[in-house]
Amino acid sequence: MNNLDNIIDFIKKSPKTELHIHIEGSLEPELMFKLSKRNKIEIPFKSVEEIRSAYNFTNLDSFLKIYYEGSNVLINEEDFFDLTWEYILRCKQDNIVHTEIFFDPQSHIPRGVNFDKIINGIDKALKKAEKDFNITSKIIMCFLRHLDEESCFDVLKKACNYKDKIVGVGLDSSEKGNPPTKFKRLFELAMKEGFLTVAHAGEEGPPDYIWDSLNILKVKRIDHGVQCLNDEKLVDKLIKEQIPLTVCPLSNIKLCVFDKLENHNLKKMLDKGLRVMINSDDPAYFGGYLNKNLIETSKALDLDLQDIKKLIKNSFKSSFLDEEKKKKWLKKIN
Ligand code: HPA
Ligand code: ZN
């Protein structure tokens, strides 16, 4: 076997975790089409092929428009179950043994979908995943940052009734112009209620948004964070404190954060000693699940086996698994 085959083989066989996946972003065109018929929801596409060919994005906002339109077909508990179960089957295929998934209740509640249907559908599929496949998981509720504080406080209140199912809260949607400072009081309350916290920052937005996510929102992980290399002091802090950065290479290419995968800064981040790992973000929209992200990035950036091991270990270390489980998996990878 040559070196690349070796690496691909290792990627496929290694147990892995995923820390940055929006469950609504795993809605494949086939399921979108099926649900649009089942729920009699019109979508602006006549076929699965037409849906796929609409996935040409120029930036985050151009993607979000289509992503929220796609989410409109999700109505009943069964829909959220089916969505999550399809993702779990991909986890099994990719040998993901633990996943921490985001969901966006504020994109469903205004359409008349009850919070309990969303969370119960997702949770039932995740429980079945543990029972059938030994795949463990955590649920993180994201606030939509383009909406106002009040709407976010409303949904946080609902999440407080589901602390047995939701471990943390995050911040996603349109980044530029919606700085972390907008949500200072919200994150204070979320922490007081016992939720772990993460936030998307430095995907398209400036390094200042990463600083403020850490200093003002006091988050445990930064989602994306690729803009950090534009601020040396920030890089020093991220390295010193080993703050996890949940990087999503295929997403960054689809949303034109980098022009091509060969120019992605992941390898630079890794070589500096930043705690980065690879994730799929919205795999149904961005062209691939976790293994494809790992394999394509390895090819484009000429990653070696040590790099891959580091990425996979970083992901386990940065997960919200307990220390004993982390140790068990890390030992398996070594
Ligand atoms: N960035 C911000 N919000 C999102 C994303 C993303 O990559 N995916 C789904 N919501
Ligand atoms: Zn994301």
Side-chain angles (χ1 to χ4, degrees):
M1 262 205 284
N2 71 29
N3 209 15
L4 181 62
D5 288 340
N6 246 326
I7 286 171
I8 293 173
D9 193 53
F10 182 84
I11 288 171
K12 287 181 178 170
K13 283 187 182 150
S14 177
K16 288 170 294 287
T17 181
E18 176 149 67
L19 307 182
H20 184 161
I21 158 84
H22 303 262
I23 200 64
E24 293 91 346
S26 71
L27 177 61
E28 289 287 342
E30 287 77 7
L31 184 60
M32 192 192 293
F33 216 71
K34 189 173 134 188
L35 295 184
S36 81
K37 291 207 171 116
R38 188 157 94 189
N39 295 329
K40 301 184 175 60
I41 302 287
E42 279 209 33
I43 51 171
F45 308 107
K46 283 194 214 62
S47 67
V48 163
E49 293 70 37
E50 211 180 292
I51 301 178
R52 273 219 172 80
S53 66
Y55 293 173
N56 293 304
F57 313 115
T58 50
N59 55 24
L60 176 57
D61 279 351
S62 68
F63 154 69
L64 289 170
K65 186 174 174 289
I66 293 208
Y67 167 81
Y68 293 129
E69 267 174 21
S71 293
N72 286 344
V73 301
L74 300 161
I75 306 284
N76 301 304
E77 182 179 309
E78 181 191 10
D79 306 336
F80 289 92
F81 178 93
D82 291 350
L83 171 71
T84 309
W85 187 248
E86 283 205 356
Y87 167 66
I88 288 299
L89 295 178
R90 303 285 187 153
C91 287
K92 184 163 185 286
Q93 215 165 36
D94 276 8
N95 210 0
I96 292 174
V97 296
H98 176 74
T99 181
E100 302 190 352
I101 69 170
F102 296 136
F103 76 114
D104 287 338
Q106 287 160 295
S107 66
H108 312 303
I109 291 169
R111 300 183 288 106
V113 181
N114 278 345
F115 193 92
D116 63 331
K117 287 188 182 157
I118 310 168
I119 188 69
N120 288 332
I122 296 170
D123 184 63
K124 280 180 188 167
L126 296 179
K127 294 243 161 69
K128 184 172 162 62
E130 183 152 14
K131 186 166 153 275
D132 291 4
F133 304 140
N134 269 325
I135 296 173
T136 59
S137 57
K138 307 273 180 195
I139 302 177
I140 300 171
M141 179 182 84
C142 277
F143 300 111
L144 300 186
R145 70 200 302 159
H146 68 277
L147 299 179
D148 59 24
E149 214 190 6
E150 197 185 314
S151 159
C152 298
F153 272 114
D154 282 349
V155 82
L156 175 57
K157 207 165 139 195
K158 292 188 200 303
C160 286
N161 297 321
Y162 293 92
K163 284 184 186 170
D164 58 327
K165 298 186 171 69
I166 301 168
V167 301
V169 298
L171 189 61
D172 67 1
S173 192
S174 191
E175 187 183 7
K176 285 181 178 168
N178 294 298
T181 45
K182 187 174 157 186
F183 302 100
K184 181 177 190 286
R185 297 190 315 159
L186 178 73
F187 271 64
E188 275 169 5
L189 181 60
M191 269 184 287
K192 200 168 143 230
E193 290 290 346
F195 291 105
L196 299 166
T197 56
V198 300
H200 282 55
E203 178 183 14
E204 286 184 342
D208 275 358
Y209 285 16
I210 302 177
W211 278 112
D212 288 349
S213 298
L214 296 170
N215 292 336
I216 294 173
L217 303 186
K218 308 205 182 301
V219 299
K220 304 263 185 305
R221 297 197 298 241
I222 296 289
D223 294 311
H224 292 294
V226 292
Q227 301 301 334
C228 73
L229 292 194
N230 296 318
D231 182 335
E232 247 178 71
K233 270 207 178 131
L234 175 61
V235 170
D236 289 345
K237 178 184 169 71
L238 294 170
I239 295 170
K240 190 159 160 260
E241 297 177 22
Q242 284 295 288
I243 312 271
L245 306 171
T246 65
V247 176
C248 308
L250 290 181
S251 161
N252 292 153
I253 303 312
K254 271 293 214 182
L255 303 190
C256 307
V257 175
F258 299 94
D259 62 346
K260 53 182 177 178
L261 203 47
E262 286 75 10
N263 291 337
H264 196 287
N265 65 5
L266 178 104
K267 172 72 173 152
K268 280 193 200 105
M269 293 171 91
L270 196 59
D271 287 347
K272 281 180 185 289
L274 285 158
R275 188 185 273 188
V276 287
M277 76 288 306
I278 287 184
N279 304 272
S280 70
D281 205 6
D282 301 282
Y285 292 89
F286 299 152
Y289 288 77
L290 183 60
N291 280 2
K292 188 161 180 205
N293 270 271
L294 280 158
I295 292 168
E296 295 296 315
T297 308
S298 298
K299 286 183 192 165
L301 301 180
D302 202 19
L303 302 182
D304 63 24
L305 201 56
Q306 290 315 310
D307 294 328
I308 299 296
K309 278 192 185 176
K310 185 88 188 163
L311 290 166
I312 293 175
K313 287 201 284 187
N314 279 348
S315 191
F316 277 105
K317 285 181 192 167
S318 308
S319 73
F320 293 139
L321 280 167
D322 65 45
E323 291 305 314
E324 209 167 294
K325 291 210 179 89
K326 283 186 194 178
K327 249 194 223 160
K328 181 192 93 175
W329 287 118
L330 289 169
K331 212 170 140 190
K332 281 219 163 124
I333 292 151
N334 282 328

Short mmCIF file of all heavy atoms in Angstrom, two decimals, residues 20 22 200 224 281, ligand 2:
data_model
loop_
_atom_site.label_atom_id
_atom_site.label_comp_id
_atom_site.label_asym_id
_atom_site.label_seq_id
_atom_site.Cartn_x
_atom_site.Cartn_y
_atom_site.Cartn_z
N HIS A 20 -19.08 19.11 15.20
CA HIS A 20 -19.70 20.26 14.51
C HIS A 20 -20.53 19.76 13.35
O HIS A 20 -20.04 19.58 12.24
CB HIS A 20 -18.59 21.22 14.06
CG HIS A 20 -19.09 22.50 13.44
ND1 HIS A 20 -18.31 23.62 13.33
CD2 HIS A 20 -20.28 22.83 12.90
CE1 HIS A 20 -19.01 24.58 12.75
NE2 HIS A 20 -20.20 24.12 12.46
N HIS A 22 -24.69 20.27 12.01
CA HIS A 22 -26.06 20.79 12.18
C HIS A 22 -26.99 19.71 11.66
O HIS A 22 -26.90 19.37 10.46
CB HIS A 22 -26.25 22.08 11.39
CG HIS A 22 -25.27 23.15 11.77
ND1 HIS A 22 -25.59 24.17 12.65
CD2 HIS A 22 -23.97 23.35 11.41
CE1 HIS A 22 -24.53 24.95 12.79
NE2 HIS A 22 -23.53 24.48 12.06
N HIS A 200 -20.18 29.62 17.03
CA HIS A 200 -19.53 29.83 15.74
C HIS A 200 -18.84 31.20 15.80
O HIS A 200 -19.47 32.19 16.18
CB HIS A 200 -20.56 29.87 14.61
CG HIS A 200 -21.07 28.53 14.18
ND1 HIS A 200 -21.63 27.63 15.05
CD2 HIS A 200 -21.11 27.94 12.95
CE1 HIS A 200 -21.99 26.54 14.37
NE2 HIS A 200 -21.69 26.71 13.11
N HIS A 224 -15.56 26.60 13.84
CA HIS A 224 -14.79 27.16 12.71
C HIS A 224 -13.49 27.80 13.24
O HIS A 224 -12.50 27.13 13.40
CB HIS A 224 -15.59 28.15 11.85
CG HIS A 224 -16.70 27.51 11.08
ND1 HIS A 224 -16.47 26.61 10.08
CD2 HIS A 224 -18.05 27.63 11.19
CE1 HIS A 224 -17.63 26.21 9.58
NE2 HIS A 224 -18.60 26.80 10.24
N ASP A 281 -20.06 19.84 9.30
CA ASP A 281 -20.91 21.04 9.33
C ASP A 281 -22.31 20.77 8.80
O ASP A 281 -23.23 20.54 9.58
CB ASP A 281 -20.23 22.19 8.57
CG ASP A 281 -20.68 23.57 9.03
OD1 ASP A 281 -21.42 23.64 10.01
OD2 ASP A 281 -20.26 24.57 8.41
ZN ZN B 2 -21.68 25.20 11.59
#
